[in-house]
Amino acid sequence: MEEISPKNILLKPARPVGIMGYGAYVPRYRLPASEVARIWTDGQAGLPIKEKAVAGLDEDVATMSIEAARNALQRASVSPSESRAVWVGSESHPYAVKPTSTIDAEAIGAVPNVQAGDWQFACKAGTEAMVAAIGFIGSGMADYALAIGMDTAQGRPSDALEYTAGAGGAAYLLGPAEKSLAVIEHTYSFVTDTPDFWRRAYQKYPEHGQRFTGEPAYFKHITESAQALMDATQTKPTDYDYAVFHQPNTKFPQRVAAQLGFTKEQIAHGLLVPVIGNTYAGAALIGLTAILDIANPGERILLVSFGSGAGSDAMALQVTEAIQERRDRAPKTQDYIARRIEIDYATYARMRGKLVMK
Amino acid sequence: MTEVVIAGIGQTAVGEHWDISIRELALRSIELAQADAGGLQPQAVYVANMLSTPLSQQAHLGALIADFAGLNGVEAATIEAAGASGGAALRVGYLAVASGQVGVALVVGVEKFTDQVGSTVDAALSTSGDSDFEAVQGLTPTAQAALLMRRYLHEFAVPRQAFGGFPLVAHANGASNPRAMFQKAISLDLYARAGMVSDPLNMFDVAPLADGSAALLLTRPELLPPGFPHALVRLAGSSLVTDTLALHDRPDPLTFHAARLSVERACRAAGIQPAQLDLFELFDAYSIYTALSLEAAGLAQRGQGWQLAQDGQLNLNGALPVATFGGLKARGNPGGATGVYQAVEAVLQLRHQAGANQVPGARWAMVQALGGPASSVATHILERRD
Amino acid sequence: MEIPRHWRLRKQRYGLVGEVCPHCDAKLFPPRDVCPECGQEAKTLYNFSGRGEVYSYTTVYEAPAGFEEVAPYTVALIKLQEGPLVTAQLTDTNGEQVEIGTPVEMVTRRLRSDGDERGLLVYGYKFRPILQQLISPT
């Protein structure tokens, strides 16, 4: 076996893999960051985003994933029973033990000849599932596999995360590149043990390392993975029409884009955090659906996720002709963002189970 | 067929009987009925009850109540058909006596809602619908009535306040019934200002659930004690009919099909037409049910039932008095006992013992109990024998 | 806990799987095995489109046990495109104008917990105003 070197670090499937269909989901409730500031800082705090999406009382990662997956299947026009995997990445699975993926697989009609599993890697659980699906299809074990990143993220009342921890995500049906609407040309992951953010078992809210979540965690892993992928593929930022980086707040993706040499225009379409918040395992993936909603055949996209703990998955994609007829088959990302009901902090507290009922 | 007469009647006040249990409540009406019948001893006890299992954690009421009434050794069982339980038990008692198998049958309805408080009562009520496809969606009987009423208002372009006519009649009659839960007349203005329960149903469109017990002794005329003091009332027609359990399974939810069949069958047995009735104790658990029941009985055209309440026809001195002792709305709705209360009240009317509530010269009465949205319908025709 | 009951109904709950009568083509939901139109056996599975319109609706404020935490909520009778009526909650309706006749589509949502917070989560169909009509009323 060839030794790993900067020139051959890319993950290479035995056959090329692409996106057959994609689907976004954002719940319709919005909590303005100013509401959080009103409660906890007399409105004095600086606001990291404008507002965040909040799941309704009858929504969770299972239901949101089902809708995103149905959208992906509708775009792909592939029978759900042909998908040989339903993999859901999240840090807010409705059960501590019992798969979200079996609920989703049953609901979309993918059972019983299917792999199902829940992935957990903080905010990169969704792209991790996607990389696994690339391997699954790329090896020839399956023709189609569904990878989902979805969260209804938790934030402790008054914590910095409460301003941003949102709800939403996306589903991708992957398949052979020649039938896809976007070919996943290259993939690379960069992982270290970096404890910037975690939630211990039985704890309701996560802990985080405040500024430690920045340089040694978010910026280090994203820049390392993105740069390594560009080096290995001999590409540079200008070779990409769009880029999407994990988006825990507005500033981080803007700053990491600048560090890597990407312009504001390149990240503009995928930068949704100001209006839906940080959707954790869904954050990078829903940025990509927003780009696919408007991208033209031949255009290239760089996607880089980040998961605390920590690691980044980088993917380079190229859009194909098939995008033209498939993208209108299901609601678009901006359609979900546009259906917006503003809520106050009290309603938010109720919806998120922060009111003590017993 | 053997003639069946109602020899004894008994009823407790309808309300919140916090201090007595389901067995004590039942015993009170049984004792009244036995005294009324001159001490007749039943050989069979048919208990009408809807929810004692979830609400009182007590099943097996046949044995319990027979035992508590000192009737050990008799035949006894519970008859359950949701809100139609009382009518269904009357039907069973009628069949038992008419067949000759039973000489004297006791039909006792009893319901004890106040053994529980809060949302468990609503959950228990929802079990009378389709658990798999209705209750799991959070549908309650009240919400279902609201669905019917909204659709009715929509299809027939009925003025919303027109439904106020029904509770007005019921409350006017309840005002002079000492056993009624609400003994106060209401005005249309009060109706219009009532709080919303489940849009478009307001507080006065919904009959109150309460505790109560009523009892009937059925027998053959030849078994009556010597010197029986009351005018004789016979069961001239009896019918129990079902429709789909779930409302959504009906081609036309705004037609109480089972109620129509049940009235037809009971009237045919009695040899009368609905128009000949002197009074109709109908099942006004919700004011929309009143309209649909009147239409199903053929007393009003489809979509026109509400009009009967507009011009006094349903009052005690009108063409077709209903809810003569307040109905479910003012007397109260004691669940599985309701159908028995209706028969007790009809007997009072036909014996001409109804006092201030008397329908002048009453000879024919129809009583009808509905289980769910007329998924079970028990209809009985009672006749005064002179 | 009512695990078997909810498990048994998962296909109906998650995907509106009903039946079609092989004799008269009537579409049945909920499934009932005997066709109410022609009286013959009807056990052929049929996937409903999930599209329909509001036949009637109301709001429940006094919720039965198991639903208190989501009250108030809206329940409705939905006339499915294929014919049957179905009882279901409407969701995502606050701020939307719902009327008799409003076109709706099926979504899969949490219906309730079986018992308390330790119990099974019960998922199933609800309906909401059609998403894409909200965006482009064409």
Side-chain angles (χ1 to χ4, degrees):
Chain A
M1 219 167 137
E2 205 179 342
E3 202 177 322
I4 308 273
S5 74
K7 285 198 160 44
N8 70 349
I9 55 166
L10 300 174
L11 297 162
K12 293 195 192 77
R15 63 164 171 169
V17 177
I19 295 169
M20 297 293 302
Y22 64 91
Y25 186 76
V26 184
R28 64 205 284 269
Y29 303 100
R30 298 288 179 275
L31 178 71
S34 58
E35 266 296 284
V36 182
R38 176 175 73 84
I39 298 297
W40 295 111
T41 71
D42 287 346
Q44 297 303 306
L47 306 179
I49 60 169
K50 177 170 169 275
E51 60 189 11
K52 66 175 189 176
V54 180
L57 284 167
D58 59 358
E59 296 188 283
D60 60 23
V61 164
T63 67
M64 292 160 57
S65 297
I66 289 167
E67 180 151 347
R70 284 179 177 146
N71 286 338
L73 286 162
Q74 213 165 313
R75 283 208 171 85
S77 286
V78 169
S79 162
S81 60
E82 290 186 66
S83 178
R84 298 302 300 269
V86 175
W87 286 330
V88 184
S90 179
E91 62 164 63
S92 47
H93 290 289
Y95 288 92
V97 178
K98 196 219 162 290
T100 305
S101 51
T102 55
I103 303 166
D104 290 357
E106 183 87 48
I108 63 173
V111 293
N113 305 309
V114 67
Q115 302 304 116
D118 292 3
W119 299 70
Q120 188 271 106
F121 189 151
C123 298
K124 93 169 184 82
T127 50
E128 187 71 43
M130 214 164 147
V131 173
I134 293 169
F136 199 41
I137 296 158
S139 70
M141 284 177 75
D143 279 340
Y144 302 106
L146 192 61
I148 302 168
M150 192 70 65
D151 257 306
T152 59
Q154 314 93 346
R156 187 189 307 283
S158 89
D159 188 271
L161 292 182
E162 196 182 30
Y163 291 85
T164 54
Y172 289 87
L173 184 76
L174 302 192
E178 67 272 16
K179 298 183 192 169
S180 71
L181 57 78
V183 177
I184 302 170
E185 294 185 306
H186 305 290
T187 308
Y188 169 67
S189 295
F190 180 88
V191 169
T192 70
D193 182 13
T194 302
D196 59 315
F197 169 102
W198 63 87
R199 178 164 63 87
R200 292 274 300 274
Y202 308 114
Q203 296 302 303
K204 205 168 172 185
Y205 300 113
E207 303 297 323
H208 59 88
Q210 299 186 11
R211 289 185 60 77
F212 182 72
T213 61
E215 287 309 328
Y218 179 89
F219 292 100
K220 167 79 175 170
H221 291 78
I222 288 188
T223 52
E224 288 286 350
S225 62
Q227 198 57 57
L229 182 137
M230 286 194 285
D231 290 347
T233 55
Q234 295 181 313
T235 56
K236 49 191 188 308
T238 50
D239 293 324
Y240 297 92
D241 298 281
Y242 307 96
V244 55
F245 302 101
H246 175 54
Q247 33 191 338
N249 53 44
T250 311
K251 272 186 200 155
F252 276 25
Q254 287 174 335
R255 186 155 23 121
V256 85
Q259 284 175 8
L260 285 163
F262 288 86
T263 64
K264 282 187 172 158
E265 291 69 34
Q266 281 169 295
I267 64 165
H269 288 287
L271 190 64
L272 306 179
V273 63
V275 288
I276 63 170
N278 177 6
T279 56
Y280 285 55
L285 291 183
I286 197 168
L288 180 59
T289 61
I291 291 167
L292 290 171
D293 282 338
I294 50 101
N296 295 311
E299 290 187 325
R300 285 197 152 81
I301 306 163
L302 179 69
L303 167 90
V304 191
S305 67
F306 169 73
S308 288
S312 280
D313 300 318
M315 286 180 211
L317 302 97
Q318 186 174 23
V319 179
T320 75
E321 286 293 334
I323 191 83
Q324 312 264 40
E325 53 161 335
R326 288 190 208 169
R327 71 171 138 223
D328 292 332
R329 289 178 187 166
K332 300 205 176 79
T333 315
Q334 290 296 344
D335 293 338
Y336 282 105
I337 293 172
R339 52 162 217 161
R340 172 186 177 279
I341 298 287
E342 191 172 312
I343 56 173
D344 61 10
Y345 194 90
T347 305
Y348 163 75
R350 183 188 170 186
M351 285 178 162
R352 297 301 296 148
K354 292 172 199 256
L355 286 180
V356 178
M357 302 282 282
K358 53 187 164 188
Chain B
M1 193 130 95
T2 309
E3 189 171 57
V4 179
V5 295
I6 298 176
I9 55 174
Q11 57 176 332
T12 70
V14 176
E16 294 166 325
H17 292 283
W18 303 109
D19 53 341
I20 56 174
S21 68
I22 195 165
R23 66 188 84 181
E24 294 167 307
L25 190 57
L27 180 62
R28 289 192 183 180
S29 69
I30 293 170
E31 286 175 341
L32 290 168
Q34 285 191 284
D36 182 67
L40 272 185
Q41 283 296 307
Q43 292 98 54
V45 178
Y46 302 109
V47 181
N49 175 267
M50 175 176 168
L51 293 171
S52 72
T53 304
L55 296 186
S56 304
Q57 302 299 312
Q58 180 66 64
H60 211 166
L61 292 186
L64 174 79
I65 287 168
D67 175 24
F68 202 67
L71 297 169
N72 275 330
V74 301
E75 164 183 339
T78 308
I79 309 297
E80 189 272 315
S85 298
L90 176 54
R91 164 81 176 157
V92 172
Y94 166 80
L95 291 175
V97 173
S99 71
Q101 292 277 318
V102 172
V104 179
L106 169 68
V107 175
V108 55
V110 63
E111 201 74 53
K112 191 82 178 73
F113 282 109
T114 58
D115 272 356
Q116 300 250 347
V117 292
S119 60
T120 50
V121 178
D122 298 291
L125 287 165
S126 296
T127 62
S128 65
D130 185 331
S131 273
D132 285 351
F133 293 100
E134 291 183 328
V136 74
Q137 291 284 344
L139 184 76
T140 61
T142 301
Q144 189 169 54
L147 292 174
L148 281 171
M149 184 163 168
R150 187 187 297 280
R151 186 69 196 188
Y152 188 97
L153 291 169
H154 172 82
E155 280 201 20
F156 306 122
V158 181
R160 171 64 188 84
Q161 296 312 317
F163 274 90
F166 298 127
L168 249 65
V169 169
H171 276 269
N173 296 344
S176 45
N177 176 6
R179 293 176 202 84
M181 189 165 176
F182 296 123
Q183 299 175 29
K184 194 165 183 240
I186 62 164
S187 65
L188 201 54
D189 183 50
L190 191 65
Y191 177 82
R193 288 186 285 113
M196 198 58 76
V197 173
S198 227
D199 196 25
L201 282 186
N202 75 28
M203 203 176 76
F204 287 111
D205 291 309
V206 183
L209 299 171
D211 304 337
S213 175
L216 299 162
L217 279 160
L218 311 182
T219 190
R220 304 194 290 275
E222 61 268 29
L223 297 180
L224 287 171
F228 184 71
H230 307 297
L232 264 195
V233 174
R234 74 172 186 117
L235 278 169
S238 169
S239 149
L240 177 60
V241 179
T242 53
D243 198 345
T244 66
L245 179 67
L247 184 65
H248 56 224
D249 282 334
R250 296 184 194 165
D252 175 15
L254 292 181
T255 298
F256 276 177
H257 186 66
R260 185 171 67 75
L261 287 180
S262 185
V263 168
E264 279 174 12
R265 289 176 193 172
C267 283
R268 194 181 312 130
I272 63 158
Q273 296 293 326
Q276 293 172 255
L277 293 166
D278 296 306
L279 63 120
F280 181 12
E281 291 301 335
L282 46 65
F283 200 83
D284 57 334
Y286 306 100
S287 52
I288 179 68
Y289 279 19
T290 306
L292 296 178
S293 298
L294 290 167
E295 293 169 23
L299 297 162
Q301 295 290 311
R302 180 180 149 84
Q304 303 292 313
W306 59 277
Q307 287 187 341
L308 292 178
Q310 307 307 303
D311 52 8
Q313 289 191 64
L314 305 179
N315 299 345
L316 287 177
N317 57 1
L320 183 69
V322 303
T324 63
F325 283 89
L328 281 66
K329 179 66 201 73
R331 175 237 296 131
N333 179 6
T338 296
V340 185
Y341 271 91
Q342 292 176 309
V344 166
E345 290 161 352
V347 170
L348 287 173
Q349 290 288 359
L350 300 183
R351 286 178 178 176
H352 300 168
Q353 295 174 347
N357 295 64
Q358 186 63 50
V359 173
R363 183 169 172 228
W364 290 99
M366 181 160 75
V367 298
Q368 184 177 71
L370 307 183
S375 300
S376 288
V377 182
T379 308
H380 287 86
I381 308 286
L382 284 68
E383 184 193 12
R384 176 190 173 98
R385 263 190 29 177
D386 286 311
Chain C
M1 287 200 285
E2 300 181 286
I3 300 167
R5 184 159 78 90
H6 295 304
W7 166 79
R8 189 186 308 131
L9 292 165
R10 65 195 182 283
K11 293 219 182 296
Q12 287 78 43
R13 294 261 172 84
Y14 292 173
L16 277 181
V17 178
E19 291 166 334
V20 57
C21 176
H23 308 285
C24 73
D25 203 41
K27 313 295 192 300
L28 315 180
F29 192 91
R32 50 190 302 134
D33 293 358
V34 176
C35 177
E37 300 292 323
C38 71
Q40 303 201 64
E41 187 176 278
K43 290 186 173 176
T44 312
L45 295 182
Y46 180 82
N47 285 296
F48 281 77
S49 67
R51 293 285 176 119
E53 63 174 53
V54 174
Y55 177 87
S56 190
Y57 65 98
T58 190
T59 303
V60 176
Y61 297 95
E62 199 173 320
F67 296 89
E68 301 105 318
E69 290 183 12
V70 293
Y73 55 88
T74 305
V75 286
L77 287 166
I78 305 298
K79 179 88 177 154
L80 297 174
Q81 226 166 47
E82 295 86 349
L85 274 180
V86 59
T87 301
Q89 280 190 32
L90 295 179
T91 189
D92 292 357
T93 48
N94 45 346
E96 306 295 341
Q97 190 64 35
V98 173
E99 290 169 359
I100 287 174
T102 297
V104 290
E105 62 188 350
M106 189 268 285
V107 291
T108 308
R109 295 288 173 93
R110 249 192 218 193
L111 295 180
R112 59 170 299 175
S113 302
D114 181 22
D116 59 16
E117 64 281 357
R118 293 180 305 162
L120 182 77
L121 295 168
V122 180
Y123 296 94
Y125 52 80
K126 293 190 181 183
F127 288 79
R128 72 170 174 210
I130 291 177
L131 180 68
Q132 283 184 304
Q133 289 197 350
L134 294 177
I135 292 132
S136 47
T138 44

